[in-house]
Amino acid sequence: MAADSDPESEVFEITDFTTASEWERFVSRVEEVLNDWKLIGSRAGSSTPEKGEFTSGSWEERSQDIQFADFKFYISHYFLKQQCVQDDLKDQSEEDAFPVAMQDLLCMNNDFPPRAHCLARWYGIREFVVLSPGTNCEAITSESKCNLLLSSISISLANSGSQVPMFVQIQQKWRRVYAGECQGPGVRTDFEMVHLRKVPSQYNHLSGLLDIFKSKIACTLSPLPPINIAIRFTYILQDWQQYSWPQQPPDFDTLLGGEVGGVEFGKLPFGACEEPISELHLATTWPHLTEGIVVDNDVYSDLDPLQAPHWSVRVRSAENPQCLLGDLLTEFFKLCCRKESTEEVLGRGLAEEEGKENSDISSALSKLTEPTATVPISKLSVSSMVHSARKHIRRHRRIDESPLNADVLNSILLYLFPDAAVEKSSENSKHKTNPSNCCGKDEQNKNSDYNLFLQLKSAPSNSLTYRLALCACLVNYNHGGLRAVAHLWQEFVLELRYRWENNFFIYGLPAGSPDLRCCLLHQKLQMLNCCIERKRARDETRKVLEGSRERERRGPSPESTTAASGSAREVSPGKSWDSWSDSEEEFFECLSDQGDMEAEKNGSKSRAEGRLHPFNNTTLLKSTEPLYVPVTQEPAPMTEDLLEEQSAVLAKLGTSAEGSHLRARMQSACLLSDMESFKAANPGCVLEDFVRWYSPRDYVEEELVDETGNKALKGELSARMKIPGNMWVEAWETARVTPARRQRRLFDDTKEAEKVLHYLAVQKPADVTRHLLPCILHAAILKLKEEESVEDIPSVKRTIQQATGQASKLLHPLHDYKKLEDFITQLMLMETAITKARSLKAKFASCEDGKEEDTEELEKFVSSLLEEPEVVVIGAGQGPAGSIIHRLFVNAQRLADFTSDEAALLAPLDDDLCRDKKPTVGINKVPDFPSPAGREILLRTCVPRPAPYSKALPQRLFCVLMKEEFRLAGAFSSDTSFF
């Protein structure tokens, strides 16, 4: 007993009620967010939204995360961005000013907006705050939690004085159920919502919904203030069977049959293979009705869509319709990720047997050097060996193994090389001029799209590279995929080797050095063309030389001797033409110094060689001989990969003195060649003479006055030329007297051509695809521009311009395949938009006897459908567009009750309605329109609530009736001062 009464053994629990609970912290946090967003106090000063501003205006959103204990919420602020207009609201007392949200409840300018937040559509408010559960958080389904959150926002609004309506999202998110509140000075609006899966039968019409609204506002005034009614019925058209699809797909049977001409390979397919428009939604609206004007109950309705004063239309596109150009690009892009080589794709196929028959291309060069060759010397060439291999490959490859049959392959090769037919018919074709410029430069410059390849770094349109890309893409899509592309590439490389060996120019390439602005493959082809050009020029000079020697043996006249010597100035003496072959002897070899040394010992004056023309009437410094410009070797053309390789080699030499000296020597090969040519053309010249011609800025002249008063010019080398160890001085001392025709070639065309051909031969199909991808995207953009110009769609035109700039960033370098795939998807969306425009134009085409005004109105209507989410039909059901829409629904209704065979017999109805704009409806029992897919009814009034002596406040009920949804969104205001 004593122990129990001991005071020290008792435990006292003390609860500190001054500590904030989790709920209080949550309320405080909501108030802080409202304060940070400056949503406190009156929101007066904004003008009433203009008609359609909810759709055309700019909505903005900002969000923050807040916690209620361990439960995460998102608090978001949505508002329509408006310019603040200062009205004369200061004269109005604060007690009488309603919150902006209450004023919006009665505003009729933005009923049924086609594109807005669901709360803005249901309640017509332009600014609100939403409190919703965070991601991966459970929905608020219990009534107690919902009431707790509503209490929280009510306290936050009261403490902060905010007049912005605030909502709490309850139930599952897909149901879009909200409850909220808005507070003002002496007033409050409660936002309530009902959501059911089925429409109750007693509320399936206007009269039942009016009963709900009247019972909710519970107004005891008599007569009851008028209720403003706005109704919108939506009808959906999904059946397009009565209209033929305007897109004509290509004849794939003809393509596969090999009957297509070469020109067909230059055309990319375009358009959708199915109807791009899945649904047409017609919204018929009665914007201003009252209870006594219209009757809509369970037995009768006055709401005839043809009598609705306002019609509006929206179209819904099909999800991912199959488009020809998009499929073509997608299938070609997939090749970039393949790993197989050409041999693995096509199969080596009897490689051992072909090797026994000397048909392996890889051993073509070795066969030339075999000592026991049994073939004639004239047949020993790379060309003959390669084409022998080609014959054996085709002989042993079975017909079913060839991805491309002979007809298709020949059509492609004739399209790529249209000069091949001329070459086969004439032996002299190899001596014709290069047909590289297939179209004039003036015409190309006039075309604004010609320079598009500069942005994409692809190749000029109609060039060989461009045409090859089109063929590879079409072959991949129509003729066998990866194997067909590998087969085409193999034949293409063999054709290039044939042209190199036989001195035929490559058709469709611009003349000159490789254009570094184009893709690498185009540069390689240009490099090969340069090699062919140099080789042909060298062969021509040899023929001229052999002809002059032949005439010399026969005792030529002095005139012919002079002409021959002048024309053969740059031809090197050497072997006879018959003994010349593609071997290492084709290289120019420098002569020994023995002849020059003997000439110097004998004191004889060297004979000038390789002169081009005098240089500006200038004489040599050490003699009175004129200074001649020498014939020099052209610098070696280079592709961008060779330039990068050369830069890497030079960079590896380092920054040491030895490395810098070696780097300078490597870069001065062209300088040394020009010095030797200059010495040969100007015997007795000095370095100063060369500098005066080659680099005039490095020769400084000064005007001096001698003792007798005469003025004279005195020149000397610049300061940088006098630096000890200058590379120019060293090169001049080592340069020999050798004309360009007897120098070793700066550009070894035989070696470079073989390097190019080897580079092309080892490319895998995936590598070829990556090389050609810029050209294909170039062609796709040009195709989109061409098709858009016919339809004239401003949004697509803007998108094409943006896509062009985006593509130039994605293609260089080509690494991010995911972004490139997204870009191709963007091109597909543009193609879909263009085909969508064609479909709408076909459906809304005016009758043959239609008025010109109606035609213009229909064109404007179709253009608006492509640019805007919802378009108003001028004249409603009586206008030209409305008549066509009515006809579409009538045809669909008649076809709905028949089979496809029976429906075909009803096709003449379309023509009958076109002749008679007002068809008779009573003949057929089938209604013109189906049952509405959705009905929206908006009820508004302004009554005192909750007591008759309270302020007259806005009340609103938005009703949505659909097949599987029934929603009531009510905003009911009450007076908190006089109740």
Side-chain angles (χ1 to χ4, degrees):
M1 294 291 295
D4 293 340
S5 62
D6 188 1
E8 296 181 357
S9 62
E10 297 181 2
V11 177
F12 294 93
E13 294 184 2
I14 301 176
T15 303
D16 186 4
F17 291 98
T18 62
T19 304
S21 63
E22 293 289 348
W23 176 62
E24 291 172 319
R25 292 192 186 97
F26 176 71
V27 173
S28 176
R29 179 61 183 144
V30 174
E31 294 176 16
E32 290 177 6
V33 173
L34 295 177
N35 192 23
D36 292 342
W37 288 343
K38 296 181 174 55
L39 301 181
I40 58 176
S42 174
R43 307 294 290 176
S46 299
S47 62
T48 302
E50 298 179 358
K51 189 172 184 63
E53 190 174 358
F54 276 23
T55 302
S56 60
S58 174
W59 286 85
E60 294 190 5
E61 175 188 358
R62 49 186 172 181
S63 302
Q64 283 192 20
D65 299 342
I66 58 175
Q67 297 282 136
F68 190 153
D70 57 349
F71 197 91
K72 183 179 179 180
F73 284 94
Y74 289 135
I75 182 169
S76 304
H77 178 215
Y78 301 88
F79 59 98
L80 178 65
K81 193 173 182 180
Q82 288 181 291
Q83 293 181 353
C84 186
V85 180
Q86 297 297 333
D87 297 331
D88 298 332
L89 297 175
K90 296 182 179 179
D91 299 337
Q92 189 177 3
S93 61
E94 288 291 333
E95 291 81 6
D96 297 335
F98 287 163
V100 174
M102 289 190 181
Q103 301 174 27
D104 291 342
L105 294 178
L106 298 177
C107 181
M108 300 181 183
N109 290 338
N110 289 280
D111 293 343
F112 314 114
R115 185 171 55 195
H117 193 280
C118 60
L119 292 175
R121 181 181 181 86
W122 294 334
Y123 296 114
I125 51 180
R126 74 188 88 167
E127 184 179 22
F128 52 91
V129 177
V130 178
L131 187 69
S132 57
T135 308
N136 300 325
C137 294
E138 62 180 5
I140 301 170
T141 55
S142 67
E143 186 176 358
S144 59
K145 290 182 179 180
C146 178
N147 291 333
L148 180 63
L149 291 175
L150 288 174
S151 301
S152 303
I153 65 173
S154 180
I155 295 174
S156 300
L157 292 174
N159 292 342
S160 62
S162 175
Q163 295 185 6
V164 177
M166 195 167 182
F167 296 85
V168 175
Q169 185 172 12
I170 57 179
Q171 302 299 327
Q172 291 78 12
K173 288 187 177 182
W174 63 268
R175 300 185 64 179
R176 297 190 299 173
V177 178
Y178 298 86
E181 184 176 324
C182 176
Q183 296 184 8
V187 293
R188 185 185 73 227
T189 300
D190 295 316
F191 298 94
E192 305 172 3
M193 197 168 294
V194 174
H195 183 242
L196 303 175
R197 295 295 297 270
K198 297 293 182 180
V199 181
S201 58
Q202 65 270 29
Y203 304 129
N204 197 20
H205 40 73
L206 176 61
S207 59
L209 298 174
L210 282 171
D211 293 341
I212 295 180
F213 187 56
K214 292 176 182 178
S215 63
K216 184 64 179 179
I217 60 179
C219 181
T220 59
L221 294 180
S222 182
L224 187 68
I227 298 177
N228 182 275
I229 304 173
I231 302 177
R232 180 187 179 104
F233 285 3
T234 301
Y235 301 89
I236 297 179
L237 177 65
Q238 296 176 316
D239 187 5
W240 306 104
Q241 293 180 9
Q242 69 273 26
Y243 282 90
S244 60
W245 169 227
Q247 170 70 27
Q248 294 295 331
D251 188 358
F252 291 104
D253 294 334
T254 302
L255 289 173
L256 293 173
E259 299 175 2
V260 68
V263 69
E264 291 295 325
F265 287 98
K267 297 180 180 179
L268 289 179
F270 188 87
C273 295
E274 56 184 296
E275 175 61 62
I277 299 176
S278 60
E279 296 176 347
L280 182 143
H281 292 199
L282 169 64
T284 59
T285 307
W286 293 264
H288 303 292
L289 297 174
T290 56
E291 186 177 359
I293 293 178
V294 63
V295 176
D296 181 41
N297 51 39
D298 54 350
V299 294
Y300 177 77
S301 176
D302 289 334
L303 301 175
D304 183 7
L306 285 176
Q307 305 302 322
H310 292 284
W311 277 21
S312 58
V313 173
R314 68 168 64 189
V315 292
R316 177 171 295 179
S317 302
E319 293 185 4
N320 301 323
Q322 182 183 2
C323 294
L324 296 176
L325 181 61
D327 288 354
L328 193 80
L329 297 177
T330 302
E331 293 300 322
F332 192 69
F333 177 71
K334 289 179 181 178
L335 298 183
C336 293
C337 303
R338 302 296 293 266
K339 304 295 183 182
E340 300 91 334
S341 64
T342 304
E343 290 79 6
E344 293 171 345
V345 172
L346 298 179
R348 297 187 180 274
L350 305 176
E352 296 180 358
E353 183 178 353
E354 291 173 3
K356 295 177 182 178
E357 298 178 6
N358 300 332
S359 59
D360 190 3
I361 297 176
S362 60
S363 61
L365 291 173
S366 62
K367 297 299 178 184
L368 298 176
T369 59
E370 288 185 1
T372 60
T374 59
V375 294
I377 298 298
S378 59
K379 299 294 184 180
L380 278 178
S381 67
V382 176
S383 175
S384 60
M385 286 297 175
V386 167
H387 286 276
S388 174
R390 176 187 287 187
K391 292 177 182 178
H392 286 292
I393 288 176
R394 292 175 176 172
R395 184 186 307 159
H396 290 287
R397 181 185 291 161
R398 295 192 302 271
I399 297 177
D400 56 347
E401 290 181 353
S402 297
L404 294 174
N405 61 51
D407 295 335
V408 174
L409 182 60
N410 290 335
S411 299
I412 296 175
L413 292 178
L414 283 177
Y415 171 68
L416 294 176
F417 305 99
D419 59 332
V422 181
E423 290 173 359
K424 292 178 181 179
S425 62
S426 175
E427 285 293 327
N428 297 327
S429 59
K430 67 166 66 178
H431 304 298
K432 293 183 179 180
T433 57
N434 183 9
S436 57
N437 297 324
C438 22
C439 56
K441 292 184 179 179
D442 295 337
E443 296 178 2
Q444 292 175 343
N445 293 332
K446 290 179 182 178
N447 189 356
S448 60
D449 295 332
Y450 173 72
N451 292 327
L452 179 62
F453 77 93
L454 298 179
Q455 302 179 43
L456 303 180
K457 197 176 172 63
S458 59
S461 55
N462 295 326
S463 65
L464 175 62
T465 315
Y466 186 91
R467 297 198 305 273
L468 176 63
L470 296 180
C471 290
C473 197
L474 291 170
V475 159
N476 174 67
Y477 190 66
N478 295 327
H479 298 282
L482 180 65
R483 297 185 70 243
V485 173
H487 187 192
L488 173 61
W489 180 250
Q490 184 186 63
E491 295 290 338
F492 180 77
V493 175
L494 289 175
E495 178 67 24
L496 293 181
R497 176 169 287 281
Y498 175 81
R499 288 175 173 263
W500 157 246
E501 293 292 340
N502 293 274
N503 286 4
F504 289 119
F505 277 122
I506 301 175
Y507 183 88
L509 293 177
S513 300
D515 190 351
L516 300 181
R517 301 173 300 175
C518 299
C519 62
L520 181 59
L521 179 60
H522 189 76
Q523 297 177 40
K524 292 291 185 182
L525 297 179
Q526 283 185 293
M527 173 68 83
L528 185 58
N529 227 20
C530 290
C531 297
I532 296 174
E533 183 179 2
R534 299 285 180 92
K535 183 181 176 184
R536 287 180 58 164
R538 192 170 63 255
D539 291 348
E540 291 293 336
T541 56
R542 290 199 191 101
K543 288 185 178 181
V544 173
L545 178 61
E546 293 299 327
S548 64
R549 288 183 175 177
E550 186 67 26
R551 286 191 296 272
E552 288 177 359
R553 295 193 191 99
R554 297 174 181 175
S557 61
E559 291 80 4
S560 61
T561 305
T562 306
S565 61
S567 61
R569 268 187 314 192
E570 299 180 43
V571 181
S572 61
K575 304 181 300 179
S576 64
W577 175 252
D578 295 333
S579 62
W580 193 273
S581 64
D582 291 323
S583 64
E584 68 277 0
E585 294 177 354
E586 186 178 349
F587 293 90
F588 289 109
E589 298 293 343
C590 293
L591 300 180
S592 64
D593 297 337
Q594 183 178 359
D596 295 336
M597 293 174 64
E598 291 179 356
E600 292 177 2
K601 290 178 181 179
N602 299 332
S604 62
K605 186 176 181 180
S606 302
R607 183 173 60 88
E609 294 183 86
R611 287 178 172 179
L612 194 59
H613 58 78
F615 179 66
N616 297 337
N617 298 324
T618 308
T619 59
L620 299 177
L621 295 176
K622 301 298 183 181
S623 67
T624 58
E625 290 290 328
L627 190 150
Y628 283 89
V629 175
V631 175
T632 59
Q633 295 192 57
E634 295 183 11
M638 301 190 75
T639 57
E640 62 182 24
D641 60 334
L642 295 179
L643 289 173
E644 293 175 0
E645 181 181 347
Q646 186 184 62
S647 300
V649 171
L650 295 177
K652 289 181 180 179
L653 295 177
T655 57
S656 61
E658 183 180 358
S660 300
H661 184 74
L662 182 58
R663 186 185 302 109
R665 289 185 60 87
M666 293 175 63
Q667 293 175 322
S668 63
C670 186
L671 175 66
L672 181 62
S673 172
D674 293 342
M675 286 182 174
E676 292 181 346
S677 300
F678 188 84
K679 283 186 175 182
N682 299 278
C685 62
V686 292
L687 177 60
E688 286 79 358
D689 293 321
F690 178 77
V691 172
R692 289 162 65 197
W693 164 65
Y694 206 82
S695 180
R697 292 186 179 182
D698 285 313
Y699 188 77
V700 182
E701 291 183 336
E702 295 181 359
E703 188 175 340
L704 301 178
V705 181
D706 57 9
E707 298 176 354
T708 60
N710 295 327
K711 295 181 179 180
L713 290 177
K714 182 181 180 182
E716 60 180 356
L717 296 176
S718 62
R720 78 182 187 99
M721 287 294 178
K722 297 179 180 179
I723 298 176
N726 184 275
M727 182 55 61
W728 286 53
V729 177
E730 181 180 342
W732 181 261
E733 293 175 353
T734 58
R736 297 174 295 186
V737 182
T738 310
R741 63 183 177 83
R742 291 194 286 115
Q743 295 176 8
R744 184 182 296 273
R745 283 180 289 170
L746 294 176
F747 177 63
D748 187 351
D749 50 73
T750 306
K751 179 181 177 182
E752 293 300 327
E754 291 297 337
K755 287 172 61 177
V756 170
L757 291 172
H758 174 74
Y759 176 85
L760 299 178
V762 299
Q763 294 294 300
K764 298 180 179 179
D767 301 327
V768 177
T769 305
R770 283 189 285 268
H771 281 304
L772 297 177
L773 196 59
C775 296
I776 281 296
L777 296 182
H778 177 194
I781 292 176
L782 288 182
K783 186 67 175 179
L784 287 171
K785 282 187 174 183
E786 175 188 349
E787 300 292 339
E788 186 278 329
S789 63
V790 177
E791 307 300 335
D792 191 17
I793 311 172
S795 61
V796 175
K797 183 178 296 184
R798 292 192 299 269
T799 309
I800 291 176
Q801 294 175 352
Q802 297 171 1
T804 303
Q806 182 183 358
S808 60
K809 299 176 182 178
L810 292 176
L811 293 172
H812 312 291
L814 181 59
H815 293 312
D816 197 339
Y817 287 165
K818 181 62 176 67
K819 289 184 178 180
L820 201 56
E821 188 176 359
D822 295 340
F823 176 76
I824 293 177
T825 304
Q826 186 179 357
L827 297 183
M828 295 171 63
L829 293 177
M830 287 186 270
E831 181 185 13
T832 304
I834 295 174
T835 55
K836 182 178 174 182
R838 289 180 176 171
S839 177
L840 289 174
K841 287 184 178 180
K843 293 172 177 58
F844 288 93
S846 60
C847 302
E848 295 180 359
D849 56 347
K851 300 179 181 179
E852 184 178 354
E853 296 81 3
D854 295 347
T855 303
E856 294 178 357
E857 184 178 325
L858 288 174
E859 291 178 355
K860 185 178 180 181
F861 175 74
V862 171
S863 178
S864 301
L865 276 178
L866 298 170
E867 303 289 333
E868 302 173 10
E870 189 170 289
V871 180
V872 175
V873 180
I874 299 177
Q878 309 303 321
S883 300
I884 294 177
I885 294 171
H886 179 210
R887 185 168 70 248
L888 289 172
F889 275 99
V890 171
N891 290 345
Q893 283 294 100
R894 295 186 64 189
L895 291 170
D897 296 334
F898 295 94
T899 63
S900 58
D901 295 335
E902 294 172 333
L905 301 176
L906 301 177
L909 175 65
D910 185 35
D911 298 332
D912 297 339
L913 286 181
C914 192
R915 300 189 193 99
D916 186 5
K917 296 291 183 72
K918 298 180 180 179
T920 57
V921 183
I923 299 177
N924 299 314
K925 295 182 180 180
V926 180
D928 290 358
F929 291 88
S931 300
R935 291 174 290 167
E936 296 170 292
I937 300 176
L938 177 56
L939 308 176
R940 279 176 294 220
T941 188
C942 194
V943 298
R945 190 172 177 267
Y949 50 81
S950 301
K951 289 182 182 179
L953 299 174
Q955 319 293 330
R956 177 183 174 115
L957 180 65
F958 192 93
C959 314
V960 180
L961 290 81
M962 300 176 66
K963 185 177 181 180
E964 295 184 354
E965 181 179 3
F966 175 73
R967 185 185 301 273
L968 300 178
F972 304 103
S973 306
S974 58
D975 190 344
T976 58
S977 299
F978 302 96
F979 52 91

